[in-house]
Amino acid sequence: MELLFSSIELIARWDVMAALLIGSIGGVIVGGLPGVGAAVAIAIVLPVTFSLEPIVGLTALLGIYGSSMFGGAIPAILVNTPGTPVNALTTYDGYPMTLRGEGRRALSLAYSASFYGAIFSIVALMFLAPVLASIAPMFGSREIFLAALLGITLVIITHRGQVLAAAMLAFIGIFLQTIGIEPSAYTQRFTFGLGWLQSGINLIVVVLGLFAVSQALVLFMDKDKAIKLPNVGRPKFLDQIRDFWVYRRVASVGSAFGVICGMIPGVGEFMSQFMSYAYAQRTSKTPELFGKGNPEGIVASEAANNSVPAAAMIPLLALGIPGEELTAMMLAVFYVHNVVPGPQLFANQMDFVLALYLCLLLLNIIVVVFLFFSTSTLMKAMTIPNRFLGMMILTFSLIGVYSLRNSLTDVAIASGFGVFGFMLKRLDYPTSPIILGIVLGKLMEDKLRTAMARVTTPWEFIDRPIAFILFVMIVIAVVFQTWTVVRARNAGKKEISDA
């Protein structure tokens, strides 16, 4: 009980509440703007959070992260354009319901399922917190290195059909973090005698370039879409709850998938919602209606993807390992304020961890109340011209980059990464492996140096139980991916020979 009161005391401040309110409502608005998304918003806000206390800055970022998928469901359901990439599956059944004149019901189900999934995840992880606090100290340098290696392996192999490209981009990120003065021997690496490279490539500069500047360029190139907004009205609260309660089994299973996938680095929303959607379709009494406007499809998708943010904070807080690009950006806030996420954070600052989960709980309540009264107003935001959005994003991005160190060199680097990110998006290649390569690459290098000082043989590196389990998981992941590629290649050769 004392721990709970201590956590409440941490967040019961006007600046934390203001950050939570601005972040959560801003996240909904950003999520409702097709072509923007949480990654762009967090990248723009990130430089501002460096001047704030850790709890304030992280609360603002959590607000955007946890609420953007609520807003992303609005264009996904009403105009068949997902506001964020993880709302793509919602279009399968949400838009057909809108065409049938059931847009209000589809939105109500999406809001209810999102809220249920988020609360399910937060409550589950609050109960797990004492267990995690006892397990976290068992992770030493070797275990954290192997966990980071497992994370980057999963990030690569979960990009089905783009594994080679994802691997190359992840290694580009790992290479970028090596540039500058090496921290132990103070030797220069890949600086080529250039003074501006001695301090390395700043993570935030790369983030703003790859996500914000590149998205601004994409919006500049796209034509403005003529969007016809349907009239959905305001949902009735009691009817909304009653309608959702029919699908509570699907929502609970989807939320459980989200919790499990969120805790595994590199997996996240996409895997959880596809597993949830497949389960809902397989157990449904009307599986033939999936993709044609089945309410179960909306509930399965939204419950799964909204239960991930709270779970994704576990590897970040307990081990300092981000599972995807959004939590990697949050990690930068910890580093700037010299707050080191990892086993010691759970062991010594459990009130801080619990405070973050209480913020997640509050932001979901704020978002649901806000959406209940303002959905019709939010719909009008979808009509904002793409080029205007692009100009706003580009302006705030470059201002944010310059404000980091008052450096035009940083602006030039961000612009270069913006062009590179634009090329990747046009080629339909992922950008997140680069960010995770930078973050996890630095973590792996630091932990490997520490671990090797105590290791004399390869077996000693994995002779502890957790280290051995992580090593086995890495081997299984690589073997499974190799087997999948070989089987697909053999199937292709068989089809050619049969033809």
Side-chain angles (χ1 to χ4, degrees):
M1 207 65 182
E2 184 181 347
L3 180 64
L4 179 61
F5 284 130
S6 178
S7 301
I8 293 173
E9 188 179 352
L10 271 177
I11 63 174
R13 297 163 33 186
W14 73 267
D15 50 355
V16 176
M17 289 295 105
L20 184 63
L21 189 65
I22 294 169
S24 55
I25 293 176
V28 174
I29 296 171
V30 166
L33 295 173
V36 181
V40 175
I42 289 178
I44 293 172
V45 173
L46 202 55
V48 179
T49 62
F50 292 163
S51 60
L52 305 173
E53 291 183 42
I55 186 67
V56 181
L58 284 169
T59 297
L61 298 182
L62 274 176
I64 298 171
Y65 180 29
S67 63
S68 61
M69 287 176 280
F70 278 89
I74 298 174
I77 289 170
L78 300 182
V79 296
N80 202 29
T81 304
T84 67
V86 296
N87 294 111
L89 206 58
T90 307
T91 61
Y92 289 11
D93 295 283
Y95 187 62
M97 287 184 69
T98 299
L99 295 178
R100 292 202 307 257
E102 296 183 278
R104 183 174 70 180
R105 184 189 179 203
L107 285 174
S108 296
L109 286 170
Y111 297 159
S112 303
S114 298
F115 181 77
Y116 183 89
I119 299 302
F120 182 99
S121 176
I122 294 165
V123 172
L125 292 168
M126 280 184 174
F127 281 112
L128 281 174
V131 179
L132 294 167
S134 62
I135 294 175
M138 299 180 186
F139 279 76
S141 298
R142 284 172 271 180
E143 287 81 6
I144 294 177
F145 168 81
L146 289 169
L149 182 59
L150 175 63
I152 208 161
T153 302
L154 292 173
V155 165
I156 292 169
I157 66 177
T158 50
H159 286 88
R160 295 294 178 88
Q162 297 180 319
V163 171
L164 182 59
M168 293 177 65
L169 292 168
F171 284 119
I172 287 174
I174 293 172
F175 167 74
L176 288 173
Q177 70 85 27
T178 65
I179 296 173
I181 297 177
E182 189 268 327
S184 58
Y186 299 102
T187 57
Q188 295 188 25
R189 300 188 296 191
F190 308 111
T191 58
F192 307 105
L194 300 173
W196 57 273
L197 281 178
Q198 290 184 7
S199 58
I201 304 294
N202 189 287
L203 172 64
I204 310 306
V205 174
V206 178
V207 165
L208 282 162
L210 282 178
F211 290 100
V213 176
S214 67
Q215 190 60 36
L217 296 177
V218 169
L219 291 170
F220 284 144
M221 298 296 291
D222 287 345
K223 294 181 179 179
D224 294 331
K225 297 177 181 178
I227 297 176
K228 185 178 180 181
L229 299 175
N231 183 18
V232 296
R234 182 187 295 178
K236 296 180 180 179
F237 184 74
L238 291 178
D239 291 344
Q240 179 177 335
I241 298 300
R242 196 179 299 115
D243 192 17
F244 167 75
W245 191 246
V246 176
Y247 308 107
R248 59 189 180 277
R249 174 186 56 83
V250 173
S252 298
V253 174
S255 301
F257 280 131
V259 172
I260 295 168
C261 292
M263 288 192 292
I264 303 173
V267 179
E269 293 93 346
F270 291 103
M271 182 66 73
S272 66
Q273 65 180 238
F274 277 109
M275 291 169 65
S276 175
Y277 194 87
Y279 167 82
Q281 187 171 19
R282 190 169 59 251
T283 59
S284 174
K285 295 178 181 179
T286 55
E288 70 280 357
L289 296 181
F290 275 73
K292 300 177 183 178
N294 194 323
E296 289 178 274
I298 297 176
V299 172
S301 172
E302 289 297 311
N305 62 34
N306 278 272
S307 60
V308 168
M313 295 298 290
I314 287 298
L316 177 70
L317 296 173
L319 302 175
I321 298 174
E324 31 80 270
E325 67 269 14
L326 299 180
T327 46
M329 296 181 202
M330 293 183 196
L331 189 60
V333 180
F334 283 98
Y335 288 156
V336 165
H337 293 284
N338 293 319
V339 178
V340 181
Q344 294 304 314
L345 186 67
F346 263 71
N348 302 328
Q349 294 180 266
M350 196 62 202
D351 57 341
F352 181 84
V353 175
L354 187 57
L356 292 178
Y357 281 103
L358 289 175
C359 287
L360 277 170
L361 185 66
L362 288 172
L363 83 84
N364 282 280
I365 296 171
I366 292 170
V367 168
V368 168
V369 173
F370 176 71
L371 285 172
F372 184 74
F373 291 103
S374 60
T375 294
S376 299
T377 306
L378 277 175
M379 288 166 56
K380 297 177 183 177
M382 293 187 287
T383 62
I384 297 175
N386 286 342
R387 291 182 178 86
F388 177 78
L389 279 177
M391 180 55 69
M392 294 294 291
I393 291 171
L394 184 63
T395 302
F396 285 119
S397 302
L398 296 182
I399 290 173
V401 170
Y402 184 76
S403 68
L404 288 172
R405 297 185 289 195
N406 296 332
S407 170
L408 288 176
T409 302
D410 286 345
V411 174
I413 294 172
S415 301
F417 277 105
V419 174
F420 182 52
F422 173 75
M423 293 166 60
L424 292 177
K425 288 179 179 179
R426 284 302 188 193
L427 294 170
D428 199 26
Y429 287 149
T431 52
S432 56
I434 300 177
I435 303 302
L436 291 167
I438 295 174
V439 175
L440 294 179
K442 178 173 176 52
L443 181 68
M444 288 163 61
E445 180 182 2
D446 293 343
K447 297 303 178 182
L448 183 62
R449 286 180 184 276
T450 305
M452 291 305 291
R454 306 172 186 176
V455 171
T456 55
T457 65
W459 170 249
E460 286 185 11
F461 203 89
I462 57 171
D463 64 351
R464 296 196 295 212
I466 295 178
F468 183 75
I469 292 170
L470 291 169
F471 175 73
V472 170
M473 291 173 68
I474 293 169
V475 172
I476 291 172
V478 172
V479 170
F480 177 76
Q481 176 62 25
T482 305
W483 175 72
T484 303
V485 171
V486 171
R487 188 180 64 172
R489 183 172 297 177
N490 291 338
K493 288 180 180 179
K494 186 177 179 181
E495 288 179 6
I496 294 172
S497 63
D498 291 342

